[in-house]
Amino acid sequence: MINIYIILTTSTNLLVGMTNLLSLGQAALYGIGAYLAVLALMALHLSLLPTLIFVILGTSLLSLLVAYPSLRLRGDYFVLATLGFQLIVFTILYNWVSVTKGPYGIPGIPSLVLFGDIIISGIIPYLILSSIFAIGVIIIFYKLIHSPFGRALKAVRDDELSAQAIGRNVTALKIWAFVVSSGFIGISGLLYASYVSYIDPTSFNLDEAIFILSAVIIGGTGNIKGPIVGAVFVVVLPELLRFVGLPDSVAANLRQIIYGLMIIILMRLRPQGLAGEYALK
Amino acid sequence: MFLQFMINGIIIGSIYSLVSLGFALVYNTTRIFHLAYAVLYMFCPYIILTFYSNLGYPLIIAFIIAIIITILLSLILEIIIYRPLSKKGSSDNIIMISSIGIMIVVINIVAMLYGNETKILNQNISETLTFGSIIITYTQLAQFLISSFLLVVFLMFLKFSKFGIKTRAMRDDTILCSVFGSDIYKMRIALFTLSAIFAAVGGGLVAYDVGMDPYVGMPMLLNAVVALIIGGIGRFEAPILGGFIIGILQSLSVWAFSARWQDAVTFTLLILFLMFRPQGLLGEKRRTV
């Protein structure tokens, strides 16, 4: 799970940390990735590599539908547009029963097939696979941040008008950032679906979107380490609380309270998060 | 049947208007995207539950106590969280994220104290009034009358009182307002108080009808925000108009499709408005949105 969340938070960081766009639609993209993966695996019987390509392309294309209208808006309005997208996707996943099986979910998702007949199943192979993906995504984002594209994004983030003045197409850059980040979020959807082997829409609701965003914010924005710290933190904290020996019902609420308090305190004292370098504005 | 759904829509629309107006009071004047407002809406019915069902006070008294406690919560949030951030000059995004943090904390505290399951305030089935083919419960009637009354009183107040004039001044230009010697933070106290009243009354009225759980605030807040966007940010009549539109539209979408697609209809409307008329129906055009 840590690896899945690292991919999620690292990709979200491209939006929040690099472009100063708060998106509350990340869980919808995560869900779209998962459902597309199921489509590829169960209806088309693809092996790993084609599935991966299918999911990345599919999620990116669908995200374009959101990116294009919403990125012309700023600040609160952008957040609202992504929130609307999140709720619409959730409603569709939940109610289009003939395709998504709605609230019943889709059980029995087959394991991933690497080339020929090498099947990845069991915990250890998944750990290795997801680690490879997570490390791959981190390396790609590291390169991306230090590429001309990354620097242009930073310029847009820090001063949109100046970036525009030296001839950057601000909206196009933002759309690219959104689409790239969505494509990678698709990967985490794929990993989640095949790892848990059962998906239903409630894994991709608004709470999940808020959760992803708060993981990024707690960890920190603008660099590579921040999102990793955030992902590790939000996944490890529940295990720690279990270790302390609280009953499950209290622990779930207490965990949320800790996240909430951390967000409030961090926003007051350290808006760049635990390990980030860019303070939100 | 159409008429029945229309009436239901108007009744729920009056609640949306009320809640949306409370949100607008804070958002229009201070630019705080007050997501924690959802918590106030959810918090009030739980206090009513404590005083009415557990301690046995009469309903009206319990309601009034709950409103007062909700106001206190709202003021605590303003004083402890928002005011220092705004004095520090934090950006809108930071304030909004803090608000998400507050929301998470309060929802989970309530869930720990009262449990996650749905609670009801009114054990009896409400009696009904019948006009021809239209059926209205007494609870619905109360919802409509109380919220319309508050809306009308507020609009009069806004128009004619000194406070109303100051509120409108603050909406138009906060800095200029403080230059002319109004104490902005005193104004904010008043605004947070009023908005808490609207949230608490809305929350209490709805919970008396259908019960509540710790997560009821968010969907209501979203409807309120959509109502505000559709109506337009700026004028205080706008969220009221938006609230009624959303209420009627949702009710009619239940009539035309089914209850499951209500949210999709609402948020498609939101996105259409954001794309084509971001200033809303009654808003003034601004260069950047």
Side-chain angles (χ1 to χ4, degrees):
Chain A
M1 282 314 271
I2 289 193
N3 285 324
I4 295 178
Y5 273 100
I6 286 181
I7 300 178
L8 279 174
T9 51
T10 306
S11 329
T12 307
N13 179 38
L14 186 68
L15 284 182
V16 180
M18 300 299 293
T19 342
N20 198 27
L21 294 168
L22 289 177
S23 166
L24 276 176
Q26 303 303 89
L29 295 165
Y30 180 36
I32 288 176
Y35 274 90
L36 283 176
V38 171
L39 178 68
L41 290 170
M42 290 180 80
L44 307 174
H45 302 289
L46 297 176
S47 66
L48 176 62
L49 214 56
T51 309
L52 187 65
I53 295 169
F54 178 76
V55 167
I56 294 181
L57 285 182
T59 318
S60 315
L61 280 179
L62 282 172
S63 77
L64 204 56
L65 283 180
V66 207
Y68 187 69
S70 54
L71 280 169
R72 305 197 326 230
L73 307 163
R74 278 156 216 267
D76 299 341
Y77 282 69
F78 172 75
V79 181
L80 268 178
T82 56
L83 186 97
F85 167 68
Q86 166 71 41
L87 288 155
I88 291 171
V89 168
F90 177 76
T91 315
I92 292 175
L93 291 182
Y94 201 83
N95 291 324
W96 196 6
V97 178
S98 55
V99 175
T100 65
K101 304 244 174 66
Y104 313 113
I106 302 177
I109 297 164
S111 300
L112 294 168
V113 182
L114 208 62
F115 319 99
D117 37 77
I118 311 167
I119 295 171
I120 300 169
S121 63
I123 293 183
I124 303 291
Y126 258 108
L127 184 67
I128 297 170
L129 179 76
S130 61
S131 305
I132 293 173
F133 274 123
I135 293 169
V137 169
I138 292 172
I139 292 173
I140 292 173
F141 275 94
Y142 183 78
K143 293 276 182 209
L144 214 56
I145 289 176
H146 297 279
S147 70
F149 175 65
R151 282 195 292 271
L153 283 184
K154 274 189 184 170
V156 171
R157 169 191 85 186
D158 293 335
D159 192 335
E160 211 170 304
L161 279 180
S162 321
Q164 210 160 19
I166 52 171
R168 291 289 176 184
N169 184 342
V170 171
T171 311
L173 277 170
K174 284 182 177 172
I175 290 178
W176 271 110
F178 197 91
V179 169
V180 170
S181 129
S182 308
F184 286 102
I185 284 177
I187 301 180
S188 44
L190 162 69
L191 286 175
Y192 177 81
S194 59
Y195 176 62
V196 182
S197 85
Y198 166 82
I199 53 172
D200 73 301
T202 51
S203 315
F204 313 110
N205 59 12
L206 181 60
D207 292 338
E208 180 69 22
I210 293 180
F211 183 68
I212 296 171
L213 192 60
S214 40
V216 177
I217 289 161
I218 291 175
T221 43
N223 58 6
I224 289 290
K225 352 187 249 275
I228 302 176
V229 171
V232 173
F233 179 83
V234 294
V235 179
V236 169
L237 183 69
E239 305 299 325
L240 274 181
L241 287 179
R242 197 170 303 156
F243 193 67
V244 177
L246 288 165
D248 267 0
S249 56
V250 182
N253 291 131
L254 190 65
R255 190 177 79 215
Q256 298 275 340
I257 294 176
I258 295 176
Y259 296 149
L261 283 177
M262 285 208 53
I263 294 174
I264 298 172
I265 295 167
L266 282 172
M267 283 301 108
R268 175 79 69 80
L269 303 173
R270 201 178 150 76
Q272 65 270 49
L274 288 175
E277 60 171 36
Y278 167 66
L280 290 166
K281 50 172 199 201
Chain B
M1 278 311 268
F2 177 79
L3 212 58
Q4 173 76 54
F5 277 103
M6 202 63 193
I7 302 266
N8 286 352
I10 291 173
I11 292 170
I12 191 69
S14 68
I15 301 276
Y16 287 160
S17 301
L18 194 67
V19 177
S20 182
L21 181 62
F23 184 82
L25 266 178
V26 171
Y27 184 73
N28 286 354
T29 50
T30 63
R31 295 279 140 187
I32 294 174
F33 204 83
H34 191 16
L35 284 168
Y37 183 69
V39 158
L40 303 177
Y41 173 86
M42 172 278 292
F43 188 71
C44 171
Y46 276 98
I47 306 296
I48 301 181
L49 183 77
T50 305
F51 282 93
Y52 174 60
S53 308
N54 301 353
L55 298 177
Y57 285 78
L59 183 63
I60 302 291
I61 308 282
F63 207 153
I64 292 169
I65 296 174
I67 291 174
I68 293 170
I69 295 179
T70 311
I71 293 172
L72 288 179
L73 177 68
S74 171
L75 293 183
I76 290 171
L77 296 182
E78 149 71 357
I79 292 168
I80 297 182
I81 314 276
Y82 293 133
R83 185 184 288 180
L85 280 173
S86 124
K87 281 197 171 155
K88 211 177 130 191
S90 298
S91 69
D92 294 349
N93 276 349
I94 288 194
I95 294 178
M96 185 175 75
I97 295 167
S98 310
S99 194
I100 294 180
I102 300 168
M103 189 174 77
I104 296 173
V105 171
V106 181
I107 287 180
N108 284 287
I109 290 175
V110 170
M112 270 171 102
L113 293 177
Y114 292 91
N116 280 313
E117 66 279 2
T118 305
K119 291 266 197 306
I120 46 171
L121 283 174
N122 180 15
Q123 268 83 8
N124 318 321
I125 292 170
S126 189
E127 284 174 46
T128 55
L129 287 170
T130 316
F131 303 103
S133 62
I134 298 161
I135 303 165
I136 304 175
T137 65
Y138 276 109
T139 316
Q140 281 181 315
L141 192 67
Q143 285 178 346
F144 181 71
L145 290 179
I146 296 176
S147 41
S148 311
F149 172 74
L150 278 177
L151 291 174
V152 172
V153 169
F154 172 76
L155 285 181
M156 305 285 278
F157 187 56
L158 189 71
K159 194 119 207 151
F160 301 115
S161 75
K162 204 172 168 201
F163 170 78
I165 294 169
K166 273 192 180 172
T167 306
R168 283 182 285 147
M170 195 167 155
R171 172 196 71 197
D172 293 338
D173 195 331
T174 310
I175 296 171
L176 195 63
C177 196
S178 69
V179 168
F180 276 111
S182 304
D183 186 341
I184 294 298
Y185 291 100
K186 247 187 212 161
M187 283 293 295
R188 282 173 59 145
I189 293 276
L191 291 167
F192 273 92
T193 306
L194 266 179
S195 84
I197 294 175
F198 291 148
V201 172
L205 287 173
V206 171
Y208 188 75
D209 196 13
V210 296
M212 70 282 191
D213 64 53
Y215 309 97
V216 289
M218 198 61 192
M220 183 46 120
L221 176 82
L222 294 175
N223 284 323
V225 173
V226 177
L228 178 60
I229 301 282
I230 290 176
I233 288 163
R235 295 173 69 91
F236 287 102
E237 295 85 349
I240 300 176
L241 176 69
F244 280 107
I245 292 178
I246 293 281
I248 293 170
L249 203 72
Q250 283 189 350
S251 191
L252 291 184
S253 73
V254 174
W255 177 67
F257 315 110
S258 83
R260 300 181 310 179
W261 295 103
Q262 249 179 340
D263 285 348
V265 170
T266 316
F267 291 100
T268 310
L269 192 69
L270 169 72
I271 288 183
L272 288 178
F273 262 89
L274 285 176
M275 279 170 71
F276 298 113
R277 202 177 160 80
Q279 74 271 32
L281 290 173
L282 298 180
E284 291 131 39
K285 210 162 189 153
R286 282 179 297 159
R287 290 189 64 145
T288 52
V289 285

